[in-house]
Amino acid sequence: MSRPRVVIAGLGDTGTLTAIHLARRADVVGITVAPGLISGQELGMRLTRPEAWAHEYALPYRRYRALDAPTIVHGRITSLDPDVRRLTVARPDGTTLDESYDALVIATGVTNGFWRTTRFRDEEQVSAELADHHRQVRQARSVIVVGGGASAVSAAANIAAYSPDTKVDLYFPGPSPLRTHHPRTWRTVGERLERAGVRLHPDHRAVLDDVDTTRLDAGTVHWSTGQPPAQADLVVWAVGRTAPNTDGLPTALLDDDGFVQVTPTLQNPLYPNIFAVGDVAATDPLRSSARNRADRLVAHNVRAHLQGGRLRTYRPPPRRWGSVLGPQTDGLQVFAPNGRAFRFPAWAVERVLWPVIVRRGIYHGVRPARQDHDR
């Protein structure tokens, strides 16, 4: 019996893990615009410690042992015909190819700010982009971070810790940031920001008309809430202006906001052989399957659908949880859905969390960089 063919559109954090889970039991084809797994996580670390960030969050696909079997196509979907189970992929050189599937997993994520993009890039371009963003942070004497989510808070905290002489201001709508987390989370994180010297500005809603939030640059921010404009050497826009990466998909698959409609089993209601997971999937208002290991669930359900087994349902948590600031000099603080924090000490992050839990356990083996260059 031939193995089923599963196409995974998008190989970011969630899509890559889904491909790893399915690789042993299906012929997997991954379609991606990126040269490797370029994570959307830990914006503050990315801006202030790009080499350390890239060491864990920007790895070529060839480094992942469990991706040896899948076929990885560098391209983007331009059309999909779900009735005949075929899609068309445009490649960077202008050529196209058609891919057929028995099951399709859409994990294309979202575009958000300057750090999540759908541009074709090679490894050198990714490295140059990271270096350029870091240079801008390093040279700035004043930084405005606009936004109230975890990315904004992470950027402000990490920039203040990296450059104590830089004036860092965090502007956010409402009385406090992290409104989708438990209130206890902000109480803990807010104290850390204040100790780092971040100046907090509640109830500031930015005017976004004609503003390019995909750039890092000096600028002036105007407020629709009536406060005087603010200026800085660098403005970091982290306002949550997300757009689903669903160009090329039939509108029948999408909700009114352009996200992929799914049932609790992460299947599209019109086409049960099409699944969606991650930020692009309209699972709940927080689209939380990107952060709750739903990659395992969707992989199980793809196999169950193809083999006639029993599917599981995704139950979204009521609040966001996890790391907010990313690894710090004193370790990694992780928040539970109830806002309680627990900490991995710095030694455990370096010796246990990254090499054992993440690389060996979650990703099923990652080759060292020197071995990667020898391949």
Side-chain angles (χ1 to χ4, degrees):
M1 180 182 297
S2 62
R3 284 156 52 100
R5 186 176 183 84
V6 179
V7 171
I8 300 177
L11 290 180
D13 294 299
T14 307
T16 295
L17 288 169
T18 302
I20 287 172
H21 300 320
L22 288 169
R24 291 185 178 180
R25 301 187 186 182
D27 291 331
V28 174
V29 177
I31 300 170
T32 175
V33 298
L37 173 46
I38 313 299
S39 177
Q41 300 181 60
E42 311 299 5
L43 176 60
M45 182 181 180
R46 174 178 176 144
L47 289 172
T48 57
R49 291 174 287 152
E51 292 184 359
W53 181 86
H55 188 265
E56 303 299 342
Y57 292 102
L59 277 66
Y61 295 118
R62 59 182 177 275
R63 295 273 303 276
Y64 296 93
R65 298 182 187 275
L67 292 181
D68 286 349
T71 299
I72 297 177
V73 177
H74 195 202
R76 65 162 52 91
I77 296 175
T78 57
S79 67
L80 166 66
D81 188 336
D83 293 316
V84 299
R85 297 183 300 183
R86 183 179 297 116
L87 52 85
T88 300
V89 179
R91 309 186 74 168
D93 61 5
T95 62
T96 62
L97 59 87
D98 291 335
E99 291 285 352
S100 60
Y101 60 85
D102 297 300
L104 170 65
V105 180
I106 301 171
T108 47
V110 296
T111 300
N112 185 9
F114 60 89
W115 69 99
R116 291 183 178 180
T117 177
T118 59
R119 297 192 312 272
F120 284 121
R121 292 172 294 170
D122 57 27
E123 292 175 34
E124 291 73 20
Q125 289 169 323
V126 170
S127 297
E129 182 180 87
L130 292 174
D132 182 59
H133 290 164
H134 176 63
R135 175 190 58 78
Q136 291 177 273
V137 169
R138 188 178 66 247
Q139 294 178 350
R141 295 297 86 197
S142 60
V143 176
I144 287 174
V145 182
V146 186
S151 294
V153 171
S154 170
N158 279 273
I159 293 171
Y162 167 76
S163 183
D165 294 331
T166 299
K167 186 180 77 171
V168 180
D169 291 87
L170 175 63
Y171 293 86
F172 46 91
S176 66
L178 304 182
R179 302 293 289 174
T180 56
H181 291 68
H182 193 282
R184 190 181 289 119
T185 301
W186 171 241
R187 289 198 292 270
T188 302
V189 173
E191 291 175 0
R192 182 154 190 154
L193 264 68
E194 292 181 340
R195 290 197 302 270
V198 177
R199 302 195 304 181
L200 305 176
H201 303 269
D203 300 315
H204 282 66
R205 185 173 295 278
V207 176
L208 299 179
D209 296 340
D210 302 321
V211 174
D212 185 357
T213 60
T214 66
R215 290 178 55 85
L216 277 178
D217 211 342
T220 300
V221 184
H222 298 268
W223 313 105
S224 64
T225 38
Q227 298 89 349
Q231 291 181 312
D233 295 339
L234 188 67
V235 178
V236 178
W237 295 97
V239 291
R241 186 184 260 187
T242 59
N245 297 326
T246 51
D247 290 348
L249 299 183
T251 56
L253 301 181
L254 312 178
D255 67 10
D256 292 340
D257 296 317
F259 295 88
V260 181
Q261 298 183 70
V262 290
T263 66
T265 56
L266 302 182
Q267 294 169 286
N268 183 262
L270 297 179
Y271 297 93
N273 65 333
I274 296 179
F275 296 76
V277 66
D279 287 316
V280 77
T283 51
D284 60 286
L286 299 179
R287 297 188 302 279
S288 60
S289 67
R291 287 160 289 276
N292 291 281
R293 296 311 312 273
D295 49 274
R296 288 187 179 277
L297 186 146
V298 77
H300 167 86
N301 285 357
V302 169
R303 292 192 298 264
H305 170 76
L306 294 171
Q307 299 167 4
R310 183 175 181 179
L311 279 66
R312 300 170 183 167
T313 59
Y314 175 69
R315 295 180 175 85
R319 299 181 185 273
R320 293 195 190 278
W321 64 282
S323 166
V324 175
L325 303 183
Q328 303 293 302
T329 55
D330 58 353
L332 176 67
Q333 193 172 39
V334 179
F335 294 89
N338 64 3
R340 303 284 184 187
F342 58 94
R343 184 184 302 279
F344 292 93
W347 68 264
V349 174
E350 295 297 327
R351 302 178 193 176
V352 180
L353 179 62
W354 292 131
V356 178
I357 297 177
V358 175
R359 293 194 169 199
R360 190 182 307 169
I362 295 178
Y363 287 103
H364 299 181
V366 177
R367 294 183 177 90
R370 64 180 182 276
Q371 189 173 335
D372 163 51
H373 290 306
D374 293 338
R375 281 170 58 82

